[in-house]
Amino acid sequence: MTVRTRFAPSPTGYLHVGGVRTALFSWLYARKHGGQFILRIEDTDRKRSTQASVDAILEGMAWLGLQADEGPFYQTQRFERYQQVIKQLLSEEKAYYCHCSKERLEQLRVGQMASKQKPRYDGKCRELSPSSDKTGVIRFKNPKIGQVVVKDLIKGNITFNNSELDDLIIARADGTPTYHLTVVVDDWDMRISHVIRGDDHLNNTPRQINLLQALGATVPQYAHLSMILGSDGQRLSKRHGAVSVMNYKEEGYLPEALLNYLVRLGWSHGDQEIFSLEEMITLFDFNAIHGSPAAFNIDKLLWLNQHYIKTGKPEEIAAQLPIQADPLGPTLADIVTIQAERAKTLKELVHNSQYFLGTPLEYDNKAVRKHLKPAILIPLTTLCQQLEALSNWNAETIHTTIQVVAQQYELKLGKIAQPLRVAITGGAVSPPIDATSYLIGQPRTIERLKRAIEIIEHAE
RNA sequence: GUCCCCAUCGUCUAGAGGCCUAGGACACCACCCUUUCAAGGUGGCGACACGGGUUCGACUCCCGUUGGGGACGCCA
């Protein structure tokens, strides 16, 4: 049997990390078994579906590299097929028109809740003879007795009593099909072998199995993933910060870091933490998935992100930076190389690298006051002259020069390195000063050093 | 409220009855390294929710309690 999985989001908002994880697991499983991964847009709710959301989903999937083998398919383009199925169900008396008003339904619900019952449709119109009155919604005749066993690859066998289920609506009063009908038809038509989705759908599954069986369709395998929670143990929402995947891109996360983080949320392979895409594909399996909800932990994502910034090819990381290199300064790849171990995100890396980018230096007043003092004026002036005289500008010669000047004035290396650092970067923090000077370049280093000397003289 | 799922360090997890003095990772703390900040190294802190069974023996199996999550739409 060929493995065919699908990711079927509804375009009613951004693509969030929970959705990405189900997409990733579906994608991995298909890849692992040489099958197909299908993207399907469930846009039957025309009131809430938007093109912007569709774009967000496509953009997010593309950014993460979760390529679909088939699709995207749009349910709104398959209405004819759904109508055909509904008609068939009606003619076989497996479905019926329901004329109950929303008011009656609401009353029913309230009453059931009050008497500590599970709210559900009471089947009032179910036994009406198939009249000519073809108005109202269409409901599926769910079996009244017996049970449905959901064989879940993650949670095991789960038994539901049909008496718990009611007759769900498969077509709205305006004739459009609803979710339950469309998923079932699509999973059937698209020959989906494994339905991998969030466990918020677990309760829907027995209903869908009943529908599938009424249609004479084969029932796919199911795998229900637990939800992702926020750091407070509540379901992940906007309150917990970035929810849209594209937010993560904007915040400077690498796709491989997000994917690696997400794959470890609920799934594991011994003690391994770092997984390349290839490893994920070969190692991934349902039997190693945890059934319990997992809390999203940004610190671990940050750690992984830095790991990938540090270990990735500088050129490739550089290509993802939202900035341009200064023609007179270092290449972005050089900046990445030197900054990787002190940046957890691309955004942070850029923020820490302003002095490489040719923009006017911003001085950190506190650092200036602390390190650009009159006492250092003479040594710094000497250093400036020595550096200006350097004919072979590289980290090693710069380092030697600093050392010589430090010895000359009997200063510890740090006593001269910090003033130099403030002079050429504007602040007290940067990569090693010799390598930093080298990247900034001789002309700019000298220029900034002279400026710093002026600042000291001015303060006197 | 009813039904469903779940339950190991703060967080993600390892653990398929004796391998457990419960392992790893993130975070946190200390020390080392060091021209700043990092990165790195070493060490530390820290958990089997509770109560009953089953068993010679339970983190592991069963039941219950508690707790958390989900579902109960003419949303998906």
Side-chain angles (χ1 to χ4, degrees), chain A residues 173-382:
Chain A
D174 66 5
T176 58
T178 64
Y179 163 74
H180 286 288
L181 192 275
T182 58
V183 246
V184 159
V185 173
D186 283 352
D187 285 341
W188 178 27
D189 285 356
M190 297 174 189
R191 307 185 330 275
I192 301 302
S193 64
H194 298 260
V195 171
I196 301 164
R197 59 186 6 172
D199 75 2
D200 48 340
H201 284 292
L202 193 49
N203 290 286
N204 292 332
T205 308
R207 303 160 169 282
Q208 291 173 9
I209 289 177
N210 282 336
L211 242 179
L212 245 6
Q213 282 169 341
L215 255 19
T218 41
V219 177
Q221 305 244 58
Y222 291 97
H224 286 94
L225 267 19
S226 56
M227 303 275 89
I228 297 179
L229 274 21
S231 48
D232 54 359
Q234 294 296 113
R235 191 177 185 168
L236 205 61
S237 71
K238 307 115 240 144
R239 294 193 348 273
H240 301 100
V243 265
S244 158
V245 266
M246 294 320 281
N247 281 159
Y248 288 89
K249 185 187 181 203
E250 284 156 29
E251 290 301 310
Y253 290 90
L254 262 22
E256 49 268 57
L258 223 209
L259 257 17
N260 195 150
Y261 177 72
L262 257 15
V263 84
R264 281 285 289 105
L265 220 49
W267 175 82
S268 62
H269 182 257
D271 287 339
Q272 189 170 344
E273 296 288 350
I274 307 293
F275 294 88
S276 66
L277 235 36
E278 293 69 35
E279 286 176 305
M280 287 183 204
I281 292 168
T282 54
L283 265 16
F284 180 78
D285 208 355
F286 290 121
N287 59 22
I289 293 183
H290 228 244
S292 52
F296 192 88
N297 179 226
I298 199 78
D299 282 327
K300 191 152 186 179
L301 207 211
L302 282 166
W303 173 74
L304 279 164
N305 202 48
Q306 179 165 45
H307 170 82
Y308 284 103
I309 291 176
K310 281 193 300 186
T311 58
K313 285 205 177 74
E315 295 75 21
E316 286 172 16
I317 307 292
Q320 297 178 62
L321 294 176
I323 52 165
Q324 295 296 315
D326 169 25
L328 302 173
T331 64
L332 292 184
D334 283 340
I335 295 174
V336 168
T337 301
I338 201 171
Q339 293 283 40
E341 63 192 32
R342 66 208 93 230
K344 291 186 186 300
T345 67
L346 262 27
K347 194 176 180 181
E348 190 185 346
L349 194 151
V350 169
H351 178 80
N352 293 343
S353 303
Q354 292 308 314
Y355 45 83
F356 286 132
L357 299 173
T359 48
L361 219 49
E362 282 177 37
Y363 289 97
D364 171 0
N365 289 329
K366 207 176 141 198
V368 169
R369 255 179 280 125
K370 186 171 178 191
H371 297 291
L372 297 186
K373 288 178 179 169
I376 205 69
L377 183 60
I378 307 295
L380 212 53
T381 305
T382 307

Side-chain angles (χ1 to χ4, degrees), chain A residues 105-119:
Chain A
L105 261 21
E106 183 54 30
Q107 251 177 32
L108 189 66
R109 197 173 0 252
V110 171
Q112 284 164 332
M113 288 286 255
S115 58
K116 306 191 171 193
Q117 295 246 298
K118 186 179 191 170

Side-chain angles (χ1 to χ4, degrees), chain A residues 11-227:
Chain A
T12 53
Y14 35 69
L15 176 60
H16 55 87
V17 292
V20 171
R21 189 179 56 149
T22 58
L24 172 63
F25 284 16
S26 304
W27 183 85
L28 287 175
Y29 198 69
R31 281 286 153 283
K32 180 187 175 77
H33 295 282
Q36 290 89 44
F37 171 63
I38 293 143
L39 179 60
R40 185 171 76 219
I41 306 294
E42 310 217 322
D43 54 354
T44 52
D45 183 354
R46 297 176 128 151
K47 287 190 201 78
R48 298 199 307 154
S49 299
T50 65
Q51 185 58 41
S53 299
V54 172
D55 294 343
I57 291 164
L58 264 25
E59 189 185 17
M61 298 289 281
W63 177 58
L64 293 162
L66 299 179
Q67 253 291 338
D69 299 298
E70 293 175 26
F73 295 112
Y74 296 84
Q75 293 189 321
T76 41
Q77 294 176 0
R78 289 175 44 76
F79 273 19
E80 235 171 86
R81 169 63 175 147
Y82 304 136
Q83 296 307 337
Q84 178 195 340
V85 173
I86 291 168
K87 215 169 141 187
Q88 181 193 334
L89 250 15
L90 239 23
S91 71
E92 291 172 357
E93 292 188 30
K94 288 173 177 170
Y96 61 94
Y97 281 95
C98 169
H99 317 292
C100 293
S101 67
K102 287 187 181 178
E103 291 69 37
R104 187 185 107 81
L105 261 21
E106 183 54 30
Q107 251 177 32
L108 189 66
R109 197 173 0 252
V110 171
Q112 284 164 332
M113 288 286 255
S115 58
K116 306 191 171 193
Q117 295 246 298
K118 186 179 191 170
R120 62 242 236 222
Y121 182 61
D122 60 357
K124 182 169 183 278
C125 301
R126 181 175 168 126
E127 303 308 337
L128 255 41
S129 58
S131 69
S132 50
D133 183 0
K134 292 185 170 20
T135 62
V137 301
I138 299 169
R139 290 183 185 270
F140 169 66
K141 273 190 192 169
N142 196 79
K144 286 179 133 168
I145 53 164
Q147 346 187 269
V148 186
V149 177
V150 176
K151 293 178 186 167
D152 192 89
L153 262 14
I154 294 169
K155 315 242 186 210
N157 288 180
I158 306 158
T159 305
F160 292 85
N161 285 314
N162 274 324
S163 57
E164 290 291 333
L165 278 24
D166 62 0
D167 292 347
L168 64 273
I169 294 172
I170 55 174
R172 303 183 181 90
D174 66 5
T176 58
T178 64
Y179 163 74
H180 286 288
L181 192 275
T182 58
V183 246
V184 159
V185 173
D186 283 352
D187 285 341
W188 178 27
D189 285 356
M190 297 174 189
R191 307 185 330 275
I192 301 302
S193 64
H194 298 260
V195 171
I196 301 164
R197 59 186 6 172
D199 75 2
D200 48 340
H201 284 292
L202 193 49
N203 290 286
N204 292 332
T205 308
R207 303 160 169 282
Q208 291 173 9
I209 289 177
N210 282 336
L211 242 179
L212 245 6
Q213 282 169 341
L215 255 19
T218 41
V219 177
Q221 305 244 58
Y222 291 97
H224 286 94
L225 267 19
S226 56
M227 303 275 89

